[in-house]
Amino acid sequence: MTASEAVDPEGHHVALDLAGWKHILDERDELAPHREAVLETVAAAPDYRGVDPHAGRDRYWRRDFDPSRWLMLIVDVPSEPG
C-alpha cells in the first residue's frame, strides 16, 4: 500500500502512509474497509475542525460516520512543507 493524500479545505496536503493507517487500524480495526472515507473526512470540509492539545497537530471530526458516532482524526502538521 502506498501513501494516499487528501487536501484539506485550506489547501494543506495530508498524507496517510502505511504507518499512519496501521496506527488507525490498531485502535479501530473496524475502519479497515473505510480508508478513502477516512481521507474524505479531511478533504470534504469536516463537520468540525480544531487544534489538538499537542502542538503541531490538528483534529478533524466527521459526523454520522456510522449510525451512532463521530469519527475524529488527529493530523500531524509539519512546521515546514515536505
Side-chain angles (χ1 to χ4, degrees):
M1 178 183 82
T2 59
S4 296
E5 190 173 284
V7 179
D8 77 8
E10 295 177 359
H12 302 117
H13 292 260
V14 177
L16 179 57
D17 62 11
L18 181 58
W21 186 238
K22 182 182 180 318
H23 172 76
I24 290 170
L25 296 182
D26 286 347
E27 299 293 321
R28 301 235 351 237
D29 64 340
E30 73 274 14
L31 293 176
H34 302 289
R35 187 166 188 251
E36 292 306 314
V38 167
L39 280 170
E40 287 172 13
T41 299
V42 173
D47 293 300
Y48 181 78
R49 182 175 176 198
V51 177
D52 189 79
H54 298 281
R57 299 190 331 185
D58 287 336
R59 291 183 175 199
Y60 295 81
W61 283 266
R62 182 174 178 178
R63 182 187 331 240
D64 301 326
F65 182 75
D66 65 27
S68 63
R69 296 190 225 179
W70 285 74
L71 173 66
M72 180 191 65
L73 302 175
I74 298 173
V75 176
D76 290 321
V77 179
S79 57
E80 297 192 22

